């Protein structure tokens, strides 16, 4: 396996500062020049150093990339680049020509150079070429010139990089920018191999992790892609991006990226929510994360020496997401309480009395005389000030793509319990009823806290932040209100709500829209809910293999060879060493076979040989591979096995048996087109690709030491 040209721990990389900051790379309305300048101020204050300009809906960044900027547009960009410099933020100008560029055309490349030369004249010295989210089919002219799509992209990137004088910062975004896009996997991706081999060493590569929106980014995954790319990547992190779902906002902390990643990366850029002001938490907690790696060689702490003693994220030897979130929300509260003049001055004492519908308190005109209540009249409603606890609740309701915050999870669990344990009213008070009533009161209090948070947010002086949040907090308040009314109805504490189980509800009583109706008609709608109800579970059993299972194992094997998605005919498929096990020609070693069953019968199997060579497999692997990985395993699962947990338990049981038998290591062979099993073995966290010349075309070998 080739060695990286440079890594963050190497002397060459240590001379380059760790890239840390924000990429404006989402789909939707771009941020304003004023907001970007405000971002630079925050970045400087918190110790971040980079801004990547890549808004997808800037026509001249992507769709009309050939067009030069007008004099008015040029002045705006000059001012923005100048503002970044004033705040010690590196401004990286990105251009995305991949939608329609002809890579082999010298005229097209010259047009690209001319566009970047114009931006160079604005005072920008750092650049990026993006080839993400484009079609991978080359035009006939490019096919005649380049051996592959990666070759075409790298050729143009290198030429532009040299034309610009080899800038200190030049980023390249590949089309296969995450592990999920790599075929057959990261280590064997011909696309990434070409990028690693041919891209000039001064060009850095952007990478989003295992997926487009990655739940976890592990050290092992970064080490793997770094080997292929021959350089540490810059993470383009979409964990707070929300441009794919207009109903979601992410206010949770930067997390599930260990700080041990920092010395292994060239940098991290967060691509956050489309709405500018709610990104306070995303950027603030990223800064805290970066500062946590200050002690590592080549780590983020080398980015800038910053005084964090007041409002910025503190320097910590380890990173705690919850503590980072609290620090961010404490600082954000001060901005909420600062009047930004948007929508006019709003002294809290000028707010009318709140009615009983829990709607947003109405506002009075600033010029109206102050009303003084008379004897026996209702007192004036005084808006309660926003608190840190309100913001913590807000963040936990709008947490992260793969998890709800603690309070949101608790509310869902309580509602689920109350719904499933409700009893008809009037049966008298007993222990079960008392528990139900107690938990119903607890749920009602939690709902009340959401309404209170909404009211306080609605009266916060900073209207710019509120307007970015308003649609989201209105939506959650409405949903909580429906659930609250439903629980009261279950407990016989109120009349059935007019918004529940009504044939003619108000439009806010249901979640509508054509997209929602399409989704509800699909068979898997709700399968990815973070809180699933009813639970999407199947009962599986794992038992030892016996000779009577041979016919069923053969059946499963034939089905998967014949019916798998994108499969070639079985007769044309390459032979695997393990085919003899699945076909029954070779019996598995003692205690080295397991069967997976569900209510439909056998749905999977795993079989093993402690010594593949001694068992008489027909084809030999290289001596080095056989020495380290003497044992052979094979595994198949029917498509209806959607839960990976029982399959992991089954393979773990077999590996334990092989280790008990004295085996030092295990290998398996998988066909290239069996993407499901390739993905399964890759995600076990232990199996890794093996390099051996003895493999036939179309076969991947993977192994793990015991």
């Amino acid at each position: 396996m080739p060695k990286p040209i440079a890594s963050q721990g190497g002397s060459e990389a240590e001379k380059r500062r760790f890239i840390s900051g924000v990429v404006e790379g989402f789909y939707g309305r771009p941020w304003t020049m004023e907001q970007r300048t405000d971002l630079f101020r925050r970045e400087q204050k918190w110790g971040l150093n980079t801004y990547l300009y890549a808004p997808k809906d800037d026509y001249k960044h992507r769709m009309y990339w050939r067009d030069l900027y007008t004099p008015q547009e040029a002045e705006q960009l000059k001012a923005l680049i100048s503002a970044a410099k004033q705040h010690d933020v590196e401004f990286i100008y990105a251009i995305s020509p991949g939608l329609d560029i002809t890579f082999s055309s010298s005229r097209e490349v010259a047009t690209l150079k001319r566009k970047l030369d114009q931006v160079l004249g604005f005072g920008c010295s750092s650049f990026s070429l993006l080839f993400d989210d484009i079609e991978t089919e080359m035009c006939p002219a490019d096919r005649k010139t380049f051996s592959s799509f990666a070759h075409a992209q790298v050729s143009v990137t290198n030429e532009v990089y040299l034309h610009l004088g080899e800038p200190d910062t030049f980023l390249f975004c590949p089309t296969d920018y995450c592990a999920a896009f790599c075929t057959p996997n990261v280590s064997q991706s011909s696309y990434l191999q070409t990028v690693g081999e041919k891209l000039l060493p001064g060009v850095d590569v952007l990478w989003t992790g295992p997926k487009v929106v990655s739940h976890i980014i592990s050290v092992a995954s970064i080490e793997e892609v770094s080997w292929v790319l021959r350089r540490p990547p810059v993470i383009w992190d979409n964990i707070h991006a929300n441009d794919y779902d207009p109903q979601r906002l992410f206010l949770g902390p930067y997390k599930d990226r260990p700080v041990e990643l920092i010395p292994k990366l060239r940098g991290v850029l967060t691509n956050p929510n489309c709405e500018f002001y709610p990104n306070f938490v995303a950027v603030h907690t990223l800064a805290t994360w970066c500062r946590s790696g200050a002690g590592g060689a080549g780590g983020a702490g080398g980015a800038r020496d910053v005084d964090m003693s007041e409002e910025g994220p503190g320097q910590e030897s380890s990173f705690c997401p919850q503590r980072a979130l609290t620090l961010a929300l404490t600082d954000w509260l001060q901005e909420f309480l600062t009047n930004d003049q948007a929508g006019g001055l709003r002294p809290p004492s000028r707010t009318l009395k709140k009615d009983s519908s829990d709607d947003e308190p109405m506002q009075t005109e600033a010029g109206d005389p102050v009303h003084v209540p008379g004897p026996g009249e209702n007192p004036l409603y005084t808006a309660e000030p926003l608190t840190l606890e309100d913001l913590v609740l807000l963040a936990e309701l709008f947490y992260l793509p793969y998890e709800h915050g603690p309070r949101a999870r608790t509310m869902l669990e309580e509602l689920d319990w109350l719904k499933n344990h409700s009893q008809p009213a009037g049966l008298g008070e007993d222990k079960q009823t008392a528990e139900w009533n107690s938990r119903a009161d607890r749920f009602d209090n939690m709902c009340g806290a959401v309404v209170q948070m909404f009211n306080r947010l609605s009266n916060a002086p900073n209207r710019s932040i509120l307007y970015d949040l308003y649609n989201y907090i209105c939506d959650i308040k409405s949903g909580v209100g429906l659930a609250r009314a439903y629980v009261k109805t279950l407990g016989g504490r109120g009349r059935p709500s007019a918004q529940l189980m009504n044939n003619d509800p108000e439009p806010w009583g249901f979640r509508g829209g054509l997209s929602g109706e399409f989704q509800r008609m699909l068979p898997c709608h709700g399968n990815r809910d973070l809180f699933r109800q009813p639970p999407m579970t199947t009962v599986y059993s794992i038992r030892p293999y016996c000779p009577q299972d041979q016919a069923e194992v053969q059946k499963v094997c034939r089905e998967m060879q014949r019916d798998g998605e994108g499969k070639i005919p079985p007769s044309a498929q390459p032979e695997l060493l393990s085919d003899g096990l699945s076909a029954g020609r070779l019996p598995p070693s003692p205690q080295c076979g397991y069967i997976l069953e569900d209510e439909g019968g056998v749905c999977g199997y795993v079989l093993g040989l402690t010594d593949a060579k001694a068992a008489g497999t027909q084809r030999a692997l290289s001596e080095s591979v056989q020495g380290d990985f003497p044992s052979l395993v094979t595994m198949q699962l029917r498509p209806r096995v959607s839960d990976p947990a029982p399959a992991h338990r089954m393979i773990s049981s077999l590996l334990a048996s092989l280790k008990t038998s004295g085996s030092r290591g295990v290998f398996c062979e998988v066909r290239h087109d069996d993407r499901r099993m390739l993905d399964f073995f890759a995600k076990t966290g232990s199996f890794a690709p093996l390099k051996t010349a003895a493999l036939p075309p179309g076969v991947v070998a993977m192994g793990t030491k015991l």
Side-chain angles (χ1 to χ4, degrees), residues 232-521:
V234 176
I235 295 298
W236 171 312
D237 207 325
N238 289 316
I239 191 63
H240 285 96
N242 70 337
D243 54 355
Y244 54 86
D245 188 343
Q247 291 185 316
R248 304 174 77 182
L249 184 75
F250 301 115
L251 304 177
Y254 191 74
K255 68 188 295 283
D256 295 318
R257 286 98 172 99
V259 292
E260 289 77 16
L261 283 173
I262 291 175
K264 298 180 181 295
L265 294 172
R266 174 75 172 94
V268 177
L269 297 171
T270 181
N271 179 38
N273 298 283
C274 299
E275 296 82 3
F276 175 77
Y277 293 104
N279 288 320
F280 192 102
V281 172
V283 181
H284 195 292
T285 57
L286 171 63
T288 303
W289 182 85
C290 290
R291 298 294 298 181
S292 298
R304 178 185 295 139
D305 292 327
V306 181
D307 179 11
M308 312 298 285
S309 60
E310 294 183 0
E311 295 180 72
Q315 295 188 46
E316 302 158 1
S317 58
S318 61
F319 179 73
C320 172
Q322 192 57 44
R323 173 170 164 73
L325 177 62
T326 302
L327 287 170
L329 295 176
T330 300
D331 286 354
W332 200 21
L333 178 62
Q334 301 310 308
E335 294 210 358
F336 268 101
L337 300 179
T338 302
N339 196 318
D340 67 338
Q341 302 292 318
L345 295 172
R346 298 190 65 256
S349 61
R350 304 300 311 281
T351 306
L352 290 176
K353 179 180 180 294
K354 178 173 69 72
D355 63 26
S356 60
S357 65
D358 287 335
D359 289 338
E360 181 195 4
M362 297 177 62
Q363 302 174 24
T364 64
E365 294 297 328
D368 290 348
V370 177
H371 170 69
V372 178
E377 295 181 347
N378 282 327
L380 284 177
Y381 169 76
T382 301
E384 297 178 351
L386 188 67
T387 68
L388 177 60
E389 182 63 22
D390 293 322
L391 292 189
V392 171
L393 175 58
L394 176 69
E396 292 185 0
L397 297 179
F398 298 95
Y399 204 62
L400 290 170
Y402 295 99
E403 61 179 309
H404 293 303
R407 215 90 51 99
R409 181 78 189 186
T410 299
M411 292 182 73
L412 289 168
E413 290 171 347
E414 287 300 301
L415 178 59
D416 179 60
W417 188 91
L418 291 166
K419 185 174 68 171
N420 292 324
H421 293 80
S422 63
Q423 297 178 352
L427 293 183
E429 185 78 12
D430 57 19
K431 186 176 181 180
Q432 290 182 336
T433 304
E435 181 185 7
W436 195 96
N437 288 335
S438 174
R439 294 180 71 160
D441 288 338
R442 181 187 180 203
F443 181 76
D444 190 75
N445 290 335
M446 288 188 286
C447 293
V450 174
V451 174
Q452 178 177 259
M453 174 205 69
F454 173 88
N455 289 331
R456 289 174 174 174
L457 279 170
S458 299
N459 286 288
N462 194 312
R463 313 308 287 170
S464 295
I465 304 177
L466 172 67
Y467 297 153
D468 271 359
L469 293 170
Y470 197 77
N471 287 342
Y472 299 101
I473 62 175
C474 278
D475 184 67
I476 192 64
K477 172 176 166 287
S478 175
V480 165
L482 291 172
R484 192 181 196 184
Y486 174 63
V487 169
K488 287 182 177 179
T489 302
L490 285 178
R493 300 183 178 189
R495 295 181 302 172
S497 171
Q499 299 179 33
L500 293 169
M501 270 71 86
N502 191 325
N503 290 329
D504 187 25
E506 294 282 4
W508 60 78
F510 60 92
R511 290 295 167 261
L514 181 60
S515 176
E517 295 196 29
F518 274 131
Q519 292 182 36
R520 285 190 290 274
M521 293 177 69

Side-chain angles (χ1 to χ4, degrees), residues 63-81:
M63 188 176 297
Y64 300 118
W65 62 270
R66 297 175 182 85
D67 294 356
L68 295 177
Y69 289 104
T70 66
Q72 181 180 4
E73 293 166 339
E75 288 304 314
Q76 286 186 321
L77 272 177
K78 287 178 183 177
L80 194 63
I81 293 167

Side-chain angles (χ1 to χ4, degrees), residues 598-679:
D598 60 12
E599 59 187 10
V602 174
C603 55
Y605 65 88
V606 61
L607 305 173
L609 294 171
T610 55
D611 190 336
K613 186 176 181 180
T617 51
Q618 297 300 309
R619 172 168 42 83
L621 294 176
S622 65
E623 290 296 325
S624 61
V625 172
Q626 284 189 330
D628 291 333
F629 307 95
S631 301
L632 171 68
V633 299
T634 183
M635 182 173 180
Q636 272 299 348
L637 302 168
R638 281 186 161 129
R640 68 175 185 258
V641 182
S642 58
D643 184 357
H648 280 286
R649 289 197 298 272
M650 188 166 62
I651 190 73
S652 297
S653 298
L654 177 60
L655 295 180
S657 296
L658 291 169
K659 184 176 182 179
T660 301
S661 300
S663 176
R664 296 183 301 277
V666 175
F667 76 96
C668 66
E669 290 184 345
V670 184
R671 295 179 178 88
H672 266 163
D673 63 345
D674 194 351
R675 297 299 303 274
R676 188 162 180 251
M677 294 314 300
L678 280 172
D679 186 63

Side-chain angles (χ1 to χ4, degrees), residues 153-316:
Q153 294 176 355
V154 168
S155 176
V156 170
T157 300
N158 287 343
E159 185 173 344
V160 169
Y161 171 68
L162 294 174
H163 171 79
L164 292 171
E166 302 183 37
D168 289 339
T169 301
F170 194 95
L171 307 181
F172 167 83
C173 183
T175 303
D176 292 358
Y177 55 79
C178 65
F181 289 176
C182 296
T183 303
N185 51 48
V186 170
S187 62
Q188 295 182 310
S189 165
S190 59
Y191 177 94
L192 291 188
Q193 288 171 358
T194 299
V195 171
E197 292 168 4
K198 297 185 180 298
L199 193 66
L200 290 173
V203 180
D204 292 302
V205 180
L206 292 161
W207 183 253
T208 66
K211 300 167 66 177
V212 178
V213 181
S214 295
H215 184 185
I216 297 170
I217 301 179
S218 68
V219 171
S221 71
I222 293 303
E223 289 176 338
E224 180 184 29
V225 74
S226 296
W227 281 106
V228 181
L229 295 176
R230 305 188 179 197
R231 70 204 77 199
V234 176
I235 295 298
W236 171 312
D237 207 325
N238 289 316
I239 191 63
H240 285 96
N242 70 337
D243 54 355
Y244 54 86
D245 188 343
Q247 291 185 316
R248 304 174 77 182
L249 184 75
F250 301 115
L251 304 177
Y254 191 74
K255 68 188 295 283
D256 295 318
R257 286 98 172 99
V259 292
E260 289 77 16
L261 283 173
I262 291 175
K264 298 180 181 295
L265 294 172
R266 174 75 172 94
V268 177
L269 297 171
T270 181
N271 179 38
N273 298 283
C274 299
E275 296 82 3
F276 175 77
Y277 293 104
N279 288 320
F280 192 102
V281 172
V283 181
H284 195 292
T285 57
L286 171 63
T288 303
W289 182 85
C290 290
R291 298 294 298 181
S292 298
R304 178 185 295 139
D305 292 327
V306 181
D307 179 11
M308 312 298 285
S309 60
E310 294 183 0
E311 295 180 72
Q315 295 188 46
E316 302 158 1

